[in-house]
Amino acid sequence: MFDAIAPRYDLLNSLLSLSLHHGWRREAARQTGLKAGGCALDVCTGTGDLAVELARLAGERGRVWATDFSLPMLQHGEDKLAARTGGVAKMALADTLALPFAADTFDAVSVGFGIRNVADVEAGIQEMARVARPGGRVVLLEFNRPLNPFIARLYDFYSFRVMPFVGGLVSGRREAYEYLPSSVKAFHSREELTAMMERAGLEDVRVTDLILGTVVIHQG
Ligand SMILES: C[S@@+](CC[C@H](N)C(=O)[O-])C[C@H]1O[C@@H](n2cnc3c(N)ncnc32)[C@H](O)[C@@H]1O
């Protein structure tokens, strides 16, 4: 599915979020606590937008790996990543469920709108925690259900009606933009994700709601 929508992925992110997604990624990157000269990994990176934000924090002495198992997604982000990070961030084809990195490697490990799509969410979180060094941080940026019932109804209208229509029109793959809201609806709650992070050995897990609770950051 992601191979198929890769050519229009960036355009649709900006259209469907009215470009707000850049701010959400910036906040998620900030919550990794990554410092200049640090070493970070962004899994399920797609076209690499969150890796760009990490590279901004890591600076020219830093190192960022951006991994995904969809080659077309990586290929569509490759030039952008090189241009915006000056080579600090590099891409690699890798399955989040079997990361090709040693344990305790990274100061920060992040995922943006990707963990929901991993076939085994808990195993994905455990794999992210495995490659984070002790004292490092793991950050999940993901859609979730708004807690306010009125906002939830508005969100349902937008995500089940508007998104598939616009997404289908622009990408020619309406089914991918129907999958998006139904996968969010079926996704784990904030509390379930927190429990998974704790079972993966992450401590001091904190949850931040953005944009009326439709986008949520978990950090541990
Ligand atoms: C909605 S996109 C998110 C892309 C990007 N992180 C962003 O914020 O825009 C989800 C990505 O997760 C990737 N993905 C899903 N399961 C994966 C896995 N097991 N290993 C690696 N990538 C995976 C897909 O290929 C896709 O590029």
Side-chain angles (χ1 to χ4, degrees):
M1 186 182 74
F2 288 104
D3 288 3
I5 63 170
R8 292 274 180 273
Y9 183 78
D10 281 1
L11 173 65
L12 273 163
N13 272 352
S14 291
L15 267 180
L16 292 171
S17 76
L18 305 174
S19 283
L20 293 174
H21 70 108
H22 295 297
W24 306 335
R25 288 173 214 280
R26 216 163 294 133
E27 175 58 16
R30 192 190 67 77
Q31 291 205 18
T32 64
L34 189 65
K35 303 269 185 303
C39 179
L41 168 68
D42 182 47
V43 302
C44 301
T45 197
T47 58
D49 278 348
L50 184 47
V52 169
E53 299 302 332
L54 293 173
R56 238 191 270 280
L57 298 175
E60 57 188 23
R61 288 181 299 108
R63 171 74 56 225
V64 177
W65 278 104
T67 59
D68 200 286
F69 69 5
S70 163
L71 188 57
M73 288 292 270
L74 294 178
Q75 284 169 331
H76 277 89
E78 208 172 12
D79 289 349
K80 171 180 66 185
L81 203 69
R84 297 208 188 145
T85 76
V88 168
K90 299 213 179 314
M91 287 180 153
L93 196 66
D95 187 346
T96 300
L97 293 171
L99 292 168
F101 300 104
D104 305 344
T105 297
F106 296 99
D107 300 313
V109 184
S110 65
V111 60
F113 308 107
I115 198 68
R116 174 176 36 90
N117 303 293
V118 173
D120 183 335
V121 173
E122 181 147 13
I125 293 172
Q126 283 172 356
E127 192 56 355
M128 292 173 73
R130 180 185 69 79
V131 298
R133 67 164 174 77
R137 283 198 209 164
V138 170
V139 170
L140 320 177
L141 169 70
E142 192 50 90
F143 294 114
N144 214 308
R145 300 270 308 149
L147 298 174
N148 179 309
F150 176 69
I151 304 292
R153 290 186 70 171
L154 283 180
Y155 177 72
D156 277 351
F157 175 77
Y158 181 72
S159 64
F160 282 98
R161 304 282 168 145
V162 181
M163 269 189 193
F165 177 73
V166 178
L169 209 65
V170 176
S171 72
R173 298 280 173 166
R174 188 183 167 101
E175 67 283 2
Y177 288 87
E178 285 169 345
Y179 158 80
L180 199 160
S182 41
S183 66
V184 173
K185 198 159 194 168
F187 192 52
H188 302 284
S189 66
R190 292 158 178 74
E191 294 74 20
E192 285 166 345
L193 284 178
T194 299
M196 285 183 197
M197 291 177 79
E198 288 172 347
R199 285 197 291 273
L202 298 165
E203 294 173 358
D204 197 14
V205 177
R206 294 177 199 192
V207 183
T208 312
D209 278 11
L210 305 177
I211 186 135
L212 304 169
T214 55
V215 174
V216 178
I217 298 174
H218 282 71
Q219 62 140 302

